[in-house]
Amino acid sequence: MIEKMTKYSFVLLKGEEEKFLDQLRELGVVDIKRSSVPVDAHSTDLLDRIGQVKHEIESLENGVDTHLTELLDQLDSLEAAEESIAPWGDYDRDKTEALGKAGVPIRFYRVRKKGFDPAWAEEYPLEVICDDGKTVYFVIAGDAAGFPLAELHSPLSTVHELKGMIKAKDKEIERYRKHLEDRKSEIPGLEARRNELTDELTVYLASLAGESAVEDRLTIYEAFAPTECDAKLAEALDSSDALWFKAVATKEDNPPIKLRNNKFVKQFETLTDMYGRPNYDEFDPTPYISIFFLLFFAMCMGDAGYGLLLFIGGFLLRKVDSLKSLAPLVTTLGAGTFVVGIVMHTFFGVDLSALPWIPAWMKKVMITGTIGGFEAQMVLALVIGVIHLCLAMIVKTVYATRNRGFLGSLGVWGWTLLIVGGVVVGALAMFKLLPPAGSGLWETYNTVTGLLGDVLSYLRLYALGLAGGMLGKAFNDIASMTLGDGSFGFGWIFFILILIVGHALNLAMCCLGAFVHPLRLNFLEFFKNSAYEGKGRGYRPITSSTTIK
């Protein structure tokens, strides 16, 4: 649900802003309208410093920074140089230079195998150094006047020297990586510094939001806070030097949106924020998303085994600092997928309903067979789609009536009664509870409203679940083919590898589809039919445990 907001206006004498803002920060509930981008040299400098600290934290977490990247590039260059001079072997460079000074220079050449003429050795003092079947590397001692090939520069280093340089660079990289690993203990301090700089930037931008009045002797701030905090704020503001006023916030004030949901629903607020927070007079879609996204995701996955893996993965994510905020959602999606997977009778591509050892009570909850000649799971997807769309229209009608009154929402009422009423008529017709005339009414209704097209969008729930299950079964069948007569041997190794790799690929593809398509059904079908806009701004109170000096 959307928390009610109170609008505040603060009037201060010039020069009292910093002290007053520090008081608001300690309260931690006041959202002051502020600039969202750097507006001068100071705010730009703060933003740059925040970026530098953030980059340093990421470098330490990943174990890679600019200097390490440079070292790795240098190692790549040395290895490439070693590969290029390897055909010349470990020649004696000092002796070669001495011969050159004595008037017998050593000249280096390289030519394609098919371009090499053995007759050259009869005319020139030529010696082949390497012939790898594709290229011939050779040298000529002394005068090579008239030789048809261009001379190469002599190698600057020998293979032995480069191997030593590569070994030394490897050790340097190893030392630097250990240095980065040792510095990971600095991460908490760096994160504290980043938070401090972010708080400073927030307060500074908030201070710029004040309007000057009375010949630049007063500063006026506009702010918002949850209505439930009115008493707490009144007590604190009465002891401050500010003159303040409050009023009930309205949509026209564009107050920030703070959502209040229970622990289960709160996990899905991330999905709501992906589309946009509701306007102040809209409804909070998160409770609906929490139910239907979970159901749609589970149906698209459709495999209890994959749900079990996601459930375990959610617990493992709690140990990863950068991802632990998503751990509860992944765990919940995994649990939902496991339950729905049992209902859809699939476990790692295996049809549970066909196994004789599955308890009868469990088989009773599995959806199998057909309804009216159609797969029962497909019919279920369409029924859920109809319920989802009808709920969206009912929500739209309720909030239209609340915001505009009954007379102002008559049009919305008319369409909702037509569509929801048509669904009821259609359901009665499908179960043959209406005479033929009623069935004709249902066909006319479909033609007028086009509801059938929207409902068919929900077939993706059935199709994706079916595709994932069939692909999982296909990997099981391919793996089984490697067992042959079942005797112990290499076949079991391939059997295990195919199962692991195949189901890992299938799980990844299922997760992608199960995330994207349920989002589409919620963001497009539900939001469109419920008239949800989602253009509200988030609630960001100024708060900090430190004080900016």
Side-chain angles (χ1 to χ4, degrees):
M1 61 176 292
I2 301 172
E3 285 204 26
K4 295 296 182 182
M5 288 285 169
T6 299
K7 177 183 176 181
Y8 289 87
S9 296
F10 304 119
V11 182
L12 299 97
L13 291 173
K14 207 69 175 176
E16 297 292 327
E17 298 91 344
E18 185 174 349
K19 177 183 176 182
F20 179 68
L21 289 174
D22 280 341
Q23 291 175 327
L24 294 185
R25 294 177 65 202
E26 293 299 323
L27 292 170
V29 295
V30 180
D31 183 316
I32 293 183
K33 285 188 175 181
R34 69 202 82 178
S35 172
S36 60
V37 296
V39 294
D40 57 18
H42 181 60
S43 57
T44 301
D45 176 64
L46 284 173
L47 193 62
D48 288 341
R49 288 157 63 190
I50 292 170
Q52 291 169 4
V53 175
K54 180 181 177 182
H55 177 71
E56 190 170 1
I57 292 172
E58 291 174 348
S59 297
L60 294 179
E61 288 178 338
N62 299 328
V64 179
D65 66 357
T66 305
H67 182 59
L68 181 58
T69 302
E70 291 175 355
L71 292 177
L72 292 172
D73 289 340
Q74 292 169 10
L75 179 62
D76 289 341
S77 299
L78 290 173
E79 290 176 341
E82 181 195 12
E83 183 179 355
S84 67
I85 69 168
W88 298 110
D90 277 324
Y91 69 96
D92 191 330
R93 190 170 59 183
D94 293 337
K95 186 178 292 185
T96 300
E97 292 176 354
L99 287 172
K101 292 178 181 179
V104 187
I106 304 299
R107 307 178 191 278
F108 294 78
Y109 297 90
R110 178 182 61 204
V111 69
R112 286 293 221 178
K113 173 79 171 179
K114 61 182 180 181
F116 181 76
D117 186 356
W120 290 340
E122 299 176 2
E123 185 176 354
Y124 299 94
L126 179 151
E127 182 178 351
V128 175
I129 304 299
C130 177
D131 182 351
D132 61 11
K134 294 182 179 179
T135 307
V136 178
Y137 299 81
F138 60 95
V139 296
I140 295 178
D143 185 24
F147 193 72
L149 298 180
E151 181 182 353
L152 300 175
H153 292 292
S154 62
L156 299 177
S157 303
T158 66
V159 174
H160 178 73
E161 291 172 337
L162 281 172
K163 284 184 180 297
M165 295 166 67
I166 290 173
K167 186 176 180 180
K169 189 61 66 176
D170 279 331
K171 289 182 177 180
E172 184 180 359
I173 291 172
E174 184 179 350
R175 286 195 302 270
Y176 193 72
R177 277 183 167 150
K178 186 177 183 305
H179 168 69
L180 290 178
E181 187 67 26
D182 293 339
R183 285 195 62 205
K184 283 189 175 181
S185 60
E186 301 176 18
I187 291 178
L190 289 170
E191 289 178 338
R193 177 58 179 161
R194 179 182 61 181
N195 293 336
E196 182 181 344
L197 289 170
T198 301
D199 290 334
E200 184 176 350
L201 177 62
T202 299
V203 172
Y204 182 72
L205 292 177
S207 68
L208 297 179
E211 298 179 4
S212 297
V214 191
E215 297 180 353
D216 204 29
R217 286 180 291 180
L218 297 177
T219 298
I220 302 173
Y221 289 111
E222 182 179 301
F224 297 89
T227 301
E228 66 177 11
C229 299
D230 282 356
K232 173 184 175 181
L233 277 174
E235 181 180 355
L237 293 173
D238 285 341
S239 63
S240 71
D241 296 328
L243 180 64
W244 60 278
F245 308 90
K246 73 173 184 177
V248 176
T250 63
K251 177 188 176 183
E252 290 69 27
D253 296 323
N254 189 27
I257 305 302
K258 182 181 181 183
L259 304 179
R260 175 188 288 179
N261 292 300
N262 60 42
K263 189 175 181 180
F264 171 76
V265 175
K266 197 171 187 64
Q267 302 173 87
F268 296 86
E269 288 182 0
T270 300
L271 303 181
T272 299
D273 288 338
M274 289 176 65
Y275 188 91
R277 293 220 165 179
N279 297 327
Y280 194 58
D281 63 343
E282 283 190 310
F283 65 97
D284 177 10
T286 315
Y288 306 102
I289 290 177
S290 67
I291 297 171
F292 286 100
F293 182 85
L294 174 58
L295 178 60
F296 295 166
F297 182 94
M299 292 181 68
C300 288
M301 292 292 288
D303 191 297
Y306 294 166
L308 186 60
L309 291 180
L310 286 175
F311 185 79
I312 296 172
F315 279 99
L316 295 178
L317 285 179
R318 298 173 189 270
K319 301 182 182 298
V320 183
D321 290 339
S322 58
L323 298 175
K324 64 182 180 182
S325 61
L326 294 176
L329 179 59
V330 175
T331 303
T332 300
L333 294 176
T337 300
F338 179 79
V339 173
V340 173
I342 295 295
V343 175
M344 298 300 183
H345 54 85
T346 304
F347 189 86
F348 288 114
V350 177
D351 186 355
L352 296 178
S353 65
L355 299 178
W357 50 267
I358 295 294
W361 64 266
M362 185 179 291
K363 289 187 177 181
K364 288 181 180 179
V365 303
M366 297 178 182
I367 299 177
T368 58
T370 60
I371 299 176
F374 298 98
E375 288 287 336
Q377 294 182 12
M378 182 179 75
V379 175
L380 175 64
L382 294 177
V383 170
I384 291 174
V386 170
I387 294 172
H388 196 218
L389 292 174
C390 288
L391 179 61
M393 296 170 191
I394 293 171
V395 169
K396 176 181 178 180
T397 304
V398 169
Y399 279 86
T401 304
R402 188 195 72 173
N403 294 333
R404 303 199 296 267
F406 179 72
L407 293 179
S409 59
L410 278 179
V412 179
W413 271 98
W415 278 107
T416 300
L417 290 174
L418 173 65
I419 294 173
V420 177
V423 169
V424 173
V425 171
L428 294 174
M430 286 178 63
F431 289 101
K432 299 182 180 179
L433 298 177
L434 280 183
S439 299
L441 177 63
W442 167 243
E443 293 176 3
T444 303
Y445 160 78
N446 269 328
T447 302
V448 174
T449 65
L451 177 69
L452 189 59
D454 287 340
V455 172
L456 290 178
S457 295
Y458 291 83
L459 280 175
R460 70 189 68 236
L461 301 177
Y462 166 71
L464 287 172
L466 180 64
M470 293 180 66
L471 189 56
K473 183 178 183 301
F475 283 121
N476 292 342
D477 292 341
I478 294 172
S480 298
M481 293 177 186
T482 65
L483 293 179
D485 59 3
S487 59
F488 184 77
F490 286 107
W492 282 96
I493 298 176
F494 291 112
F495 173 78
I496 295 172
L497 285 176
I498 291 173
L499 284 183
I500 293 175
V501 175
H503 283 290
L505 291 173
N506 194 29
L507 175 61
M509 290 188 292
C510 285
C511 284
L512 179 61
F515 181 77
V516 172
H517 289 283
L519 274 187
R520 180 193 183 280
L521 291 174
N522 280 283
F523 287 178
L524 183 60
E525 307 297 343
F526 187 82
F527 284 178
K528 177 186 71 174
N529 287 283
S530 64
Y532 179 75
E533 294 183 359
K535 296 181 179 179
R537 63 186 182 93
Y539 170 65
R540 294 186 301 139
I542 56 173
T543 176
S544 175
S545 58
T546 59
T547 302
I548 302 301
K549 301 297 184 183

